[in-house]
Amino acid sequence: MKVGQLVLALGRPNSAGMQASWGIVTAIAGPARTHRGGLLDEYIQTETTPYPGFSGGPLVNTEGEVLGLNTSGLTRGSSLTIPVKGAWRIAEALAKHGSVKRGYLGVRTQPVEIPEAARKALKREQATGLLVVWLEENGPAQTGGLFVGDTLVAVGGQAVSDPDDLFSALNSDTVGKAVAVEVLRGGKPETVNVTVGERK
């Protein structure tokens, strides 16, 4: 899948049968907040026309391969496509647990710039991290050994530069598991293992 690729949006809005709208992929991006406060890790934007009844229908390429599921119910004023890999992940979570679990650490954070010396110590280019400004008493982060003043830079090997990155890193697969949380503490990298809680 790539920007500029020709695609078809398919739907069955009534008993008259299948309808189609064609266009190109205009963007592949993410994460994005939904109007209900959730997070799409990745989404596809196209210039296909989202006729009434197309939400829930497939987006396919010219070979007939399904690229994702079209939806108009997650964001106000625009329709998006959820990539097929994300749709399958959600379907598997629903089949296994009856709901999509979301992990949490029990922290409040704010984005901060990472100083040049700390970036060198991390051995990667990462401009920002998340400064821990509050810990839930006896929450996952506090129990796992995080402190107020730590700067989160990665969770489970995934860099976190803003709150959406952290939200994305704490997916259903992490709930109840110990994950490596990389922090800057006193400007030096450290790793602590935190057992991720389940957001209620």
Side-chain angles (χ1 to χ4, degrees), residues 44-58:
I44 308 164
Q45 273 186 322
T46 71
E47 65 169 16
T48 58
T49 303
Y51 294 116
F54 272 40
S55 189

Side-chain angles (χ1 to χ4, degrees), residues 18-48:
M18 189 77 72
Q19 291 185 6
S21 171
W22 68 277
I24 62 167
V25 174
T26 56
I28 302 167
R33 288 276 177 194
T34 69
H35 70 88
R36 293 181 179 174
L39 187 76
L40 283 175
D41 295 334
E42 186 180 24
Y43 65 88
I44 308 164
Q45 273 186 322
T46 71
E47 65 169 16
T48 58

Side-chain angles (χ1 to χ4, degrees), residues 2-179:
K2 59 186 178 182
V3 172
Q5 182 176 351
L6 184 65
V7 290
L8 291 171
L10 302 175
R12 191 186 297 272
N14 53 50
S15 58
M18 189 77 72
Q19 291 185 6
S21 171
W22 68 277
I24 62 167
V25 174
T26 56
I28 302 167
R33 288 276 177 194
T34 69
H35 70 88
R36 293 181 179 174
L39 187 76
L40 283 175
D41 295 334
E42 186 180 24
Y43 65 88
I44 308 164
Q45 273 186 322
T46 71
E47 65 169 16
T48 58
T49 303
Y51 294 116
F54 272 40
S55 189
L59 183 76
V60 300
N61 62 18
T62 53
E63 284 75 44
E65 297 168 322
V66 176
L67 302 176
L69 293 178
N70 302 313
T71 176
S72 58
L74 296 178
T75 55
R76 298 187 193 279
S78 65
S79 61
L80 301 173
T81 300
I82 300 170
V84 70
K85 64 182 180 183
W88 275 117
R89 193 168 60 243
I90 292 167
E92 288 168 1
L94 289 171
K96 192 184 294 185
H97 308 293
S99 64
V100 178
K101 294 182 177 182
R102 273 293 178 186
Y104 90 108
L105 296 181
V107 296
R108 287 192 191 127
T109 63
Q110 66 182 45
V112 292
E113 187 175 335
I114 297 174
E116 185 64 32
R119 287 187 215 179
K120 288 179 180 176
L122 283 175
K123 297 180 181 175
R124 66 171 177 263
E125 279 301 314
Q126 183 174 339
T128 60
L130 293 172
L131 177 67
V132 177
V133 296
W134 175 87
L135 290 168
E136 177 186 306
E137 189 174 351
N138 298 319
Q142 188 181 71
T143 303
L146 289 177
F147 297 105
V148 170
D150 285 343
T151 299
L152 304 180
V153 291
V155 173
Q158 180 177 326
V160 292
S161 299
D162 59 42
D164 283 350
D165 287 345
L166 180 59
F167 194 82
S168 176
L170 298 173
N171 58 48
S172 59
D173 293 336
T174 65
V175 174
K177 296 178 182 174
V179 298

